Amino acid sequence: MPIPAIGRRSLLAAGGVAAGVLALPAAAHAAAKDEPAPTTPTAAVRRLLAGNRRFTTGHSRHPHQTLDRLHEVAAGQHPWAVLLGCADSRVSPELLFDEGIGDLFDDRVAGNIVDDLLLGSIEYAVEEFAPPLIVVLGHERCGAVSATINAINTGATAPGHIATIVETLRPIVAPYASAADGVERAVQANIKAQAAAIVAQSEIVRERVEAGTTAVVGARYDLDAGVVSLVH
Ligand SMILES: [Zn+2]
């Protein structure tokens, strides 16, 4: 099959794209790629929300995603934020915060639940990297929360090990099970509950929170718009 010739219009379009890229100030690109890691909770929150703003407006810079970066961090990582997020395929932290390799320490499990294993993983990161920020990232229409509400309302038992997730979420979700917007309210309640649990159950995290060197914040990801909002 012959390879179609590239028409004049395609060349013009390609030239237009290239010109558009070149028109961006080189300094802005360099600054985005080499931005130093934030060292305070406030700066870390600001950095994540700025990255999410780029993502939702179609201006992602995809920093730290080159082979050079891979080689740079191969010998040692220095992530500056710990994420406890849902395993949901639509909630990938590096994408929605426009970060890259070695920036975020991701702990992910359906329902963004803290248990001893997850807490151990979080504490490892805190001890090792002293990150200024820990984020519990829940999201709109979370399947783990919906399954729990369904189990509560129908009396059904979730199959296999899914039941462990449902039973862990049950006491947090139960107050909202019969509400019209129950899933959304339960998602937010769960974000707050898991953030509180990290601080309550981890002396390692609590010491840093009390010293003001690390903050634990809750955040909600909107599946429709891609926007991350802090949950207080
Ligand atoms: Zn989920």
Side-chain angles (χ1 to χ4, degrees):
M1 195 176 176
I3 298 168
I6 298 172
R8 186 168 171 272
R9 283 182 62 179
S10 306
L11 284 174
L12 281 175
V17 169
V21 170
L22 291 174
L24 282 174
H29 264 302
K33 305 255 181 202
D34 302 332
E35 215 174 334
T39 55
T40 67
T42 305
V45 168
R46 198 179 298 138
R47 167 89 160 251
L48 287 182
L49 294 181
N52 180 244
R53 175 89 183 136
R54 293 195 301 275
F55 171 67
T56 56
T57 55
H59 294 95
S60 290
R61 293 166 177 163
H62 310 291
H64 295 163
Q65 295 179 20
T66 61
L67 280 177
D68 281 348
R69 173 63 170 183
L70 183 151
H71 297 142
E72 181 193 331
V73 296
Q77 57 173 330
H78 305 283
W80 49 268
V82 175
L83 273 291
L84 171 60
C86 184
D88 193 294
S89 65
R90 299 161 293 183
V91 193
S92 300
E94 280 77 7
L95 293 177
L96 59 94
F97 290 121
D98 194 24
E99 293 293 341
I101 301 169
D103 292 321
L104 310 176
F105 193 94
D106 297 328
D107 293 302
R108 293 177 68 179
V109 63
N112 38 275
I113 297 164
V114 185
D115 65 3
D116 282 350
L117 286 171
L118 267 292
L119 204 50
S121 182
I122 292 168
E123 288 184 342
Y124 166 77
V126 168
E127 286 276 275
E128 199 74 13
F129 313 118
L133 189 64
I134 299 169
V135 182
V136 176
L137 181 64
H139 67 97
E140 189 181 20
R141 299 193 291 274
C142 181
V145 171
S146 299
T148 306
I149 287 187
N150 188 50
I152 292 169
N153 290 337
T154 64
T157 305
H161 291 78
I162 302 168
T164 306
I165 294 173
V166 165
E167 291 314 309
T168 304
L169 289 176
R170 182 186 291 269
I172 298 164
V173 165
Y176 313 100
S178 55
D181 56 350
V183 173
E184 178 55 34
R185 290 173 68 186
V187 160
Q188 299 205 22
N190 184 45
I191 292 166
K192 287 186 248 186
Q194 302 302 338
I198 292 172
V199 180
Q201 294 174 24
S202 170
E203 198 176 330
I204 289 172
V205 172
R206 197 164 55 245
E207 278 177 6
R208 290 187 59 87
V209 168
E210 286 168 358
T213 48
T214 296
V216 180
V217 302
R220 171 193 179 272
Y221 179 69
D222 182 302
L223 288 178
D224 304 305
V227 174
V228 173
S229 312
L230 295 181
V231 173
H232 301 288

